[in-house]
Amino acid sequence: MSYLNFKSEYDRFPKTTIKNHKAFHGYDEIYHELNRKMNNNSVVVFDYYPGVDEEEVYELIKRFNFSLEINMHDIFKDGKTMTEQMKYNLTDDRVFGKMYYGNLVDFIDEDKLEEVQNKIKEQKESVIVYGVGASLVSHGDVYVYFDMARWQIQLRYRKGMANYNVDNYDEDILKKYKRGYFIEWRIADKHKEKCFDCFDYVVDTNKSNDPKMLSSDTFKISLHQLSKQPFRTVPYFDPGVWGGQWMKEVCNLDKDQPNYAWSFDGVPEENSILFDYDGVIVELPAMDLVLYQPKELLGEQVYSRFGAEFPIRFDFLDTMEGQNLSLQVHPLTEYIKKNFGMSYTQDESYYILDAKEDAVVYLGLKEGIQPTEMISDLESAQRGEIVFDADKYINKFPAKKHDHFLIPAGTCHCSGKNAMVLEISATPYIFTFKLWDWQRLGLDGLPRPIHIEHGKQVIQWDRTTDWVKENLVNATYEVKEEGNDCKIEHTGLHELEFIETRRYTINNSSLHKTHGTVNMLNLVDGKSAVIEGDFEPFIVHYA
């Protein structure tokens, strides 16, 4: 089945050109540039984001013949001690942990740290300190930060990479991801944020044996330029048990893959950004931009509420010729704060990009539902005693192209099959409490995690049919905006959610005022969009 009547112009590798600056490409160029900066008694620091291939970088280190080498693994506490220290935050759950708000130094042996610092003071010849958190030992004479995006780290987990300083190579992928999400990446980002004004170079290590290095000035200028203009993050695509076929065609993906379920195309925590330096393409975590230029990127109002976090995400959910998503609910703000240490929750909405005639969205409860009966049936279904009758308890609304369904936290929901959903959401996207998964196994052959105990604590039982129809289904009204003659509609979100969505129906161009806050644009229908202007406001042209 074809979903397009024209050739797709979807750009899977969007780049921002940085003029009059260069990147060093490959280990040979990097070696010669660093060697030029060193002398016979230099202290050199190679600081890593957890997930960087340490064996690969060590091949570069060996080329310098340092008199003293200090490996950060020898300074960190041993893996068992670290895991025991993380126990409260890791929890026994397969998916959910508790957010860790400590620092990288919490896992360092202070006596060993002091010992190596004294060794450096006594050393008269060249020294290298290398590994995660190396700058905790010294900022050195030459400081290089080796960076990578979280999505690449996840792919390495799947290939057998362990978490930092432990040997959990064969552990459940979800548990590896949990340790990264709740602990490792949090403390690594805190550490990196402090280093932006200290390092001399940053190295892109996302592709094996294909590093690119930027000077500190080039790195900072590039991020500053990006914070002042529209840009895209680099999307990634992943299969799923319910995945569909729409993105294969529209996003020019591998036709031989069985399906694609998700596309994340606006999640700075995991996506990356690409810069073009005279043909050398450098990939950096989009979080670098959020951490380094938070106020410039987010605006004063958003920054004052969320700090250096990007609170909005866009992603695609493809069930075209696929299956229903899991029936699910997201935690209320108070619940996520008390149980997981997060300051805000995952409010969201489904904007329907495309749909077949039988497409539906499950949303909210039917009238007169007895909570104890529904939870009892969910628990019986989880034990395999019955098949949960979703149609008995959950509203099912027909879904057609351009419908918009609002989903404030606490609302039971899921997309049915044969829909292409633009999910507009707050960022803490890991917090999905699955209630029922239609008797499926995950792609790993294991039952997908179900969280009825959490779910029953947050379901809002008064969000029943009449309320849902009035508040959450196509709650659209037209708005007027000075300087625009195109049709503008407010489509959401609900008053309980902090994100506002508007739909612009444009023939030629429209004027977008950012009002000093962060804006995300998505081309819903049409072949392409060109963004021009001075960007405050900026102009969007549809081709």
Side-chain angles (χ1 to χ4, degrees):
M1 177 178 179
S2 177
Y3 298 105
L4 291 173
N5 57 10
F6 53 85
K7 180 176 174 58
S8 172
E9 297 181 11
Y10 183 83
D11 184 0
R12 290 179 55 195
F13 304 101
K15 296 177 282 291
T16 299
T17 298
I18 305 295
K19 298 179 179 178
N20 303 317
H21 288 271
K22 68 169 291 186
F24 302 90
H25 188 188
Y27 282 116
D28 285 344
E29 286 193 15
I30 291 172
Y31 167 76
H32 290 299
E33 171 63 14
L34 297 182
N35 195 50
R36 185 181 66 82
K37 300 285 279 189
M38 298 177 191
N39 55 47
N40 292 332
N41 60 353
S42 290
V43 176
V44 179
V45 175
F46 280 10
D47 205 340
Y48 305 163
Y49 200 85
V52 167
D53 187 333
E54 298 190 45
E55 292 183 4
E56 179 184 311
V57 179
Y58 190 67
E59 292 301 310
L60 172 64
I61 292 172
K62 288 193 298 186
R63 297 174 68 171
F64 292 99
N65 295 314
F66 290 102
S67 298
L68 175 64
E69 295 183 1
I70 296 171
N71 186 335
M72 288 303 294
H73 282 289
D74 297 330
I75 302 172
F76 272 88
K77 299 172 184 177
D78 65 82
K80 288 184 179 179
T81 301
M82 288 176 61
T83 299
E84 181 64 26
Q85 191 171 328
M86 296 175 181
K87 188 175 181 180
Y88 172 79
N89 298 87
L90 286 176
T91 75
D92 294 326
D93 191 278
R94 188 180 173 202
V95 177
F96 302 122
K98 296 179 187 292
M99 198 61 65
Y100 185 74
Y101 288 107
N103 297 290
L104 196 60
V105 74
D106 299 343
F107 300 98
I108 295 284
D109 185 312
E110 293 183 6
D111 291 335
K112 292 179 179 178
L113 176 63
E114 184 178 359
E115 180 183 336
V116 297
Q117 287 173 334
N118 289 332
K119 276 187 180 180
I120 292 173
K121 291 177 183 177
E122 297 167 0
Q123 183 69 27
K124 302 303 181 184
E125 298 181 273
S126 60
V127 177
I128 176 75
V129 185
Y130 63 96
V132 172
S135 63
L136 294 173
V137 175
S138 170
H139 284 171
D141 302 301
V142 181
Y143 178 10
V144 187
Y145 193 90
F146 292 77
D147 212 354
M148 69 182 307
R150 292 183 190 172
W151 172 238
Q152 295 300 327
I153 297 172
Q154 291 182 61
L155 293 179
R156 294 183 184 190
Y157 286 158
R158 294 179 188 182
K159 292 178 180 178
M161 185 182 77
N163 289 97
Y164 182 69
N165 216 35
V166 289
D167 57 1
N168 63 340
Y169 304 99
D170 299 323
E171 190 173 32
D172 181 350
I173 298 300
L174 293 179
K175 291 184 177 180
K176 290 183 183 181
Y177 177 75
K178 179 179 70 170
R179 188 175 178 128
Y181 181 90
F182 286 96
I183 304 173
E184 287 183 4
W185 301 339
R186 304 298 159 181
I187 58 178
D189 281 350
K190 272 177 129 178
H191 173 72
K192 179 165 61 173
E193 186 177 13
K194 294 175 183 177
C195 299
F196 283 135
D197 291 326
C198 303
F199 59 66
D200 300 295
Y201 299 94
V202 61
V203 181
D204 159 19
T205 68
N206 287 285
K207 292 183 179 179
S208 295
N209 291 303
D210 189 23
K212 293 98 172 181
M213 185 173 76
L214 303 176
S215 70
S216 174
D217 286 345
T218 297
F219 173 83
K220 293 173 182 177
I221 288 168
S222 301
L223 294 182
H224 180 74
Q225 176 178 319
L226 205 62
S227 73
K228 299 297 184 182
Q229 68 181 62
F231 67 94
R232 276 184 60 207
T233 57
V234 181
Y236 67 84
F237 303 85
D238 221 15
V241 292
W242 42 263
Q245 305 300 312
W246 191 92
M247 288 192 294
K248 280 190 192 180
E249 179 180 1
V250 176
C251 301
N252 299 316
L253 305 180
D254 184 354
K255 301 297 191 294
D256 293 331
Q257 292 298 315
N259 73 57
Y260 288 95
W262 291 276
S263 168
F264 293 90
D265 197 352
V267 187
E269 280 206 354
E270 298 203 1
N271 288 126
S272 54
I273 44 182
L274 296 179
F275 294 103
D276 184 342
Y277 303 92
D278 195 23
V280 178
I281 308 303
V282 176
E283 182 176 4
L284 296 173
M287 271 303 292
D288 285 1
L289 175 62
V290 180
L291 294 171
Y292 182 64
Q293 298 270 271
K295 192 178 296 186
E296 292 82 358
L297 176 67
L298 302 172
E300 187 77 34
Q301 182 179 2
V302 176
Y303 177 70
S304 67
R305 165 66 175 83
F306 296 97
E309 291 190 32
F310 198 90
I312 309 170
R313 69 159 189 178
F314 278 6
D315 63 90
F316 291 161
L317 307 174
D318 183 354
T319 68
M320 295 290 271
E321 303 176 57
Q323 303 176 30
N324 297 345
L325 273 65
S326 60
L327 182 64
Q328 58 195 245
V329 65
H330 299 302
L332 305 175
T333 298
E334 184 66 10
Y335 193 84
I336 202 172
K337 183 177 180 180
K338 283 185 176 179
N339 290 275
F340 307 111
M342 298 290 290
S343 60
Y344 62 101
T345 192
Q346 186 173 326
D347 294 306
E348 64 185 26
S349 69
Y350 289 167
Y351 193 98
I352 306 301
L353 300 179
D354 206 350
K356 291 189 175 183
E357 289 187 3
D358 61 345
V360 299
V361 167
Y362 290 84
L363 186 63
L365 304 167
K366 292 188 173 179
E367 303 289 353
I369 295 301
Q370 296 300 314
T372 54
E373 180 185 2
M374 177 173 153
I375 296 301
S376 177
D377 279 1
L378 285 168
E379 292 170 341
S380 295
Q382 176 63 8
R383 293 191 296 267
E385 297 167 359
I386 64 170
V387 175
F388 182 72
D389 186 359
D391 289 1
K392 175 181 176 181
Y393 294 103
I394 311 297
N395 299 308
K396 190 164 66 173
F397 296 96
K400 63 183 184 300
K401 191 172 184 176
H402 296 301
D403 282 345
H404 198 180
F405 300 90
L406 314 183
I407 312 170
T411 309
C412 295
H413 67 281
C414 74
S415 171
K417 65 180 182 179
N418 289 330
M420 185 62 211
V421 175
L422 167 63
E423 185 177 54
I424 305 166
S425 172
T427 308
Y429 50 90
I430 197 172
F431 294 99
T432 295
F433 299 152
K434 295 184 181 70
L435 303 173
W436 169 240
D437 200 34
W438 317 95
Q439 299 178 291
R440 293 183 297 217
L441 297 177
L443 293 181
D444 56 6
L446 300 174
R448 301 219 296 162
I450 301 295
H451 288 96
I452 299 170
E453 283 301 310
H454 283 307
K456 70 182 183 182
Q457 303 297 323
V458 300
I459 293 172
Q460 300 301 284
W461 299 99
D462 58 348
R463 292 184 189 168
T464 53
T465 308
D466 289 344
W467 187 89
V468 171
K469 286 180 178 178
E470 182 178 350
N471 288 273
L472 305 184
V473 180
N474 291 324
T476 301
Y477 57 86
E478 192 165 349
V479 297
K480 297 296 182 182
E481 192 174 81
E482 185 178 351
N484 271 315
D485 57 4
C486 63
K487 184 178 182 181
I488 305 174
E489 297 164 284
H490 179 283
T491 67
L493 297 185
H494 188 260
E495 61 184 11
L496 297 176
E497 305 177 78
F498 62 77
I499 303 169
E500 180 185 6
T501 58
R502 290 188 176 191
R503 176 169 58 210
Y504 288 73
T505 304
I506 303 165
N507 292 320
N508 296 304
S509 67
S510 70
L511 183 69
H512 288 252
K513 294 185 178 181
T514 61
H515 298 294
T517 188
V518 62
N519 284 243
M520 297 183 72
L521 301 179
N522 191 89
L523 178 65
V524 173
D525 205 359
K527 289 195 291 184
S528 64
V530 178
I531 301 176
E532 298 177 344
D534 295 327
F535 310 121
E536 184 54 62
F538 56 83
I539 307 296
V540 177
H541 296 282
Y542 284 110

